[in-house]
Amino acid sequence: MKVIKSTSQINYKKGKLDAHLLLALYKNMLKPRLIEEKMLILLRQGKISKWFSGIGQEAIAVGVTMAMEEDEYILPMHRNLGVFTTRGIPLYRLFAQWQGKASGFTKGRDRSFHFGTQQYKIVGMISHLGPQLGVADGIALASKLKNKNQVTAVFTGEGATSEGDFHEALNVASVWQLPVLFCVENNGYGLSTPTNEQYNCKDIADRGLGYGMESHIIDGNNIVEVYTKMCEINASVRQNPRPVLIEFKTFRMRGHEEASGTKYVPQELMDTWAAKDPILNFQAFLKEQKILSETEEVKIKETIVHEINEHLDVAFNEEAIIPDETNELNDVYKPFDYQVDNENSELKEIRFIDAISDSLKQNMERHEDLVIMGQDIAEYGGAFKITEGFINLFGKDRVRNTPICESAIVETAMGLSIAGIKSIVEMQFADFVSSGFNPIVNYLAKSFYRWQQEADVVIRMPCGGGVAAGPFHSQTNEAWFTKTPGLKVVYPAFPYDAKGLLNTAINDPNPILFFEHKGLYRSIRQEVPVDYYTLPFGKASVIKTGQDVTIISYGGAIHWALETLSNNPEISADLIDLRTLQPLDTQTIYDSVKKTGRAIMLQEDSLFGGIASDISAGIMENCFEYLDAPVKRVASIETPIPFAKQLEDQYLPKNRFEAELKALLAF
C-alpha cells in the first residue's frame, strides 16, 4: 500500500478509500470541532454550565463511529462529541441537552453527555466512568444470544483503566467471548495526573495479554488509520465474536474541563501535539491530493456554522423547563401495570427455598430469553442449590456462571436490559453486594429518571443472621437501598409471598432488590399454589388482628414476633408483615395505628438509619393525635453482626422484643 506524505506530520495510507469517503471523514471531524469552538464561547458567556473538550481527539470518535453499522451500540465518553454528531443527532437536541431544556434527552435532569438514546443506539456514560464497560458487555451478550453478528463499542480514558470495573469488564468479556471493542483514548492525563503516575506499563494495550484478549495500538490522530483499522477489526469480530482491546494514542488540547486549564502540561508537549492536530493535518492532506479546495473548505465550514447557529436559535428560543413535582415523581420508575395472575391450581406444602426455585423455573419458561447470572449457579446449582438442575433445563447461555465480579455482572444485567432482555442476578450472599454497589445505586436506579431507559433487573439477595455466619455472610442490608430513589425493595417472610412477589418482580421492568432470608430457606413451610401466580407490590399482609398494639415487621423478624404472640396469647395485636419496603404500604400501617393507639417496629437490621426509623417518623407525622404511647423501635445493636452464637443472640433483637412490647403496652 502506497504511503502518501503530505505537508502534515501525519502519514495517511489512503488505500482504496475514495474521495467521497475521505471528504465524509473530514466533514464529520470538522463538525464537532466547530461546535466545540462555539460552545467555548457560550461557556464564557455563561450560556452553558460546563464543557469537557475533545479538541484533538475527533478522529477517534468519528473513525470508530463511521466504521460501525447504525444499529450497533456505541457507549461514548464526554470527549466523544463526534459520536453523537456522526450518528446524526439533531444539533438543537444536543444544545437543548447542554442548556437543560425539555427537548434535550434528560428533561433537564442531567447535563453534558450523561444520556443515552435508543433511537441512535448511543448509551451515555456516568461520571463514575468504569460502569459503562460492563454495560457494553451486557449489550454484546444480548447480541450474541440473539445471533445478531454485531459489535458493541465502548469508550474510556486511560485514567479509568485503573478502576476495578475496567478489569472486571474485560475479564467477563474474555471469558464469555463477547463482541466488545474496548476503546481506550490515551490522551496523556487523567485530569492533571500524567500516565506515569497512573500505571506502570508501556502501553495499556499490553494488558490484553493478561485477559487472553487481542489488542491493538492505533494513532488516534490519524483518521484514515482509525477508520480503516476499525473497519477491519469490526468485520473480523462480527465473523468471529470476541472482545478486542484498542488503545488510541492521542492528546487533549484543553483542560479536563474548561475550569481546570492546562498549566500542568509542559508547553513543549502542547506544541508537539498541536502540530499533530487531526483536522488540520487531514485538511492539508486532502488539499495536496486535490480532493479539497480552498473554496470547498470555506463552503463546508459555512454550511456547518449555519447549521450550528440555526439549531442554537431553536434551543435558545425554547422555554425553560417549568418544575412540576408530579412529573418528577412519576419518572423515577418506569410505569408498571401490575396484572393479577392467580391461576386456580392445587396447593402443595413447600419450603421457602422451594418457592424461590419454583418461581425462577416458571419464569424461565414464561420468558424464553430471561437470563440468570451468578457465582456457581450453573452445574453447582448455587450456594443454596436454588438453581440446581436449571442448566439441564435451560442451558448455559441462560444459566450463566460468572467470575467473582459483582460490579461487572450488575452492569452486564443493565446492558441486557438496554438490549431488551430481562435478567436476574444472584448475589451469593447479600453482603457481597457492596462490591456491586455503585452500578446499582448510580446506574440501575437512575437510568429511567435520567433518560427513560428501564433497568429490567432483579437482584436476589440471600441475607440475614441466626445462622452463625459472622460479619460477612449475615447482614440484612436492605436500608442501603430503600434510601435510593429508583430501586424497589422486596423482603418476603413466607413461601407463598416469596413465590408470588418474585414473579411480580421479574415482570416489573424496574430494578428490584429481592431479599431472601436464608435462615428461612429450609425452616419455614407453607401451602403454595403449584402454578404461577403474582402478588402486588406495596401491599402489606395483616397476619393477625387485635386492638391493643400494632406490630410492624418483615423478613425473619416476623417469625420472632409470631413466636412472641404465641407465647403471650393475652396480647391483642395487629401484626403487619410489610412484604415490600419500597414501595411501602403506609396506609395499612396508619389505619392500624389509628385503631390500636400503639406502634412497635421490629427489624433485624441495626437500629440507626433502618426502615423502622422512617416508619416511626411517618407514624408521628400522620397519626400523632391517635397515639397513647411513644412509637417504639426494636432492632439489632449497633455493631457488626458477630459469629459466635452467644454474641449473635445478644446482637439480634429476638430475645429483647417481648420485654419491649410489654413495656409499651404498660405505658
Side-chain angles (χ1 to χ4, degrees), residues 378-449:
E379 290 86 353
Y380 188 70
F384 301 99
K385 302 300 181 183
I386 286 176
T387 53
E388 190 168 27
F390 277 38
I391 192 172
N392 298 324
L393 294 172
F394 308 111
K396 289 203 73 168
D397 276 350
R398 296 181 62 203
V399 184
R400 305 185 75 90
N401 278 339
T402 70
I404 301 175
C405 50
E406 287 81 3
S407 190
I409 297 307
V410 171
E411 293 154 14
T412 298
M414 182 69 217
L416 285 172
S417 180
I418 289 171
I421 292 179
K422 289 179 177 289
S423 64
I424 300 167
V425 175
E426 178 186 298
M427 291 291 159
Q428 196 168 72
F429 292 87
D431 312 66
F432 300 164
V433 76
S434 54
S435 294
F437 190 76
N438 177 40
I440 293 174
V441 300
N442 283 314
Y443 211 123
L444 271 63
K446 297 177 172 62
S447 286
F448 188 78
Y449 175 76

Side-chain angles (χ1 to χ4, degrees), residues 461-498:
M461 302 277 284
C463 66
V467 292
F472 303 122
H473 295 80
S474 303
Q475 295 176 84
T476 175
N477 47 13
E478 66 279 356
W480 294 0
F481 305 102
T482 53
K483 177 66 180 69
T484 304
L487 300 176
K488 295 186 179 182
V489 181
V490 183
Y491 203 150
F494 296 92
Y496 174 79
D497 294 338

Side-chain angles (χ1 to χ4, degrees), residues 607-621:
L607 184 63
F608 188 85
I611 190 72
S613 298
D614 276 286
I615 294 172
S616 174
I619 292 172
M620 291 297 292
E621 291 173 4

Side-chain angles (χ1 to χ4, degrees), residues 44-112:
R44 290 192 291 271
Q45 293 174 346
K47 293 181 179 180
I48 58 173
S49 64
K50 204 175 187 71
W51 189 256
F52 294 89
S53 177
I55 288 177
Q57 300 182 200
E58 294 91 348
I60 303 170
V62 171
V64 170
T65 305
M66 289 185 66
M68 295 185 69
E69 302 293 339
E70 288 187 357
D71 60 347
E72 293 176 323
Y73 281 92
I74 305 179
L75 292 83
M77 295 278 282
H78 43 22
R79 300 191 206 291
N80 298 130
L81 173 58
V83 171
F84 298 86
T85 54
T86 303
R87 274 280 162 98
I89 291 179
L91 296 189
Y92 78 88
R93 294 205 67 190
L94 290 175
F95 300 154
Q97 171 68 22
W98 303 333
Q99 293 175 36
K101 298 289 184 68
S103 63
F105 291 88
T106 63
K107 302 181 183 179
R109 294 165 183 161
D110 213 335
R111 65 184 183 185
S112 186

Side-chain angles (χ1 to χ4, degrees), residues 57 60-61 64 74-80 83 123-136 152-170 180-190 195 198-199 204-205 207 213 220 244-252 256 411:
Q57 300 182 200
I60 303 170
V64 170
I74 305 179
L75 292 83
M77 295 278 282
H78 43 22
R79 300 191 206 291
N80 298 130
V83 171
V123 179
M125 44 87 75
I126 68 171
S127 293
H128 302 70
L129 307 180
Q132 70 189 54
L133 297 159
V135 173
T152 299
V154 58
F155 286 85
T156 195
E158 88 290 332
T161 65
S162 297
E163 291 188 309
D165 296 84
F166 172 82
H167 302 279
E168 290 188 18
L170 265 64
V180 184
L181 310 177
F182 293 101
C183 302
V184 180
E185 295 179 293
N186 190 342
N187 61 22
Y189 286 85
T195 53
Q198 294 186 60
Y199 54 84
I204 290 171
R207 297 180 182 179
M213 185 183 298
V244 179
L245 174 61
I246 305 157
E247 181 180 3
F248 295 96
K249 301 288 190 180
T250 186
F251 196 78
R252 59 172 165 81
H256 169 72
E411 293 154 14

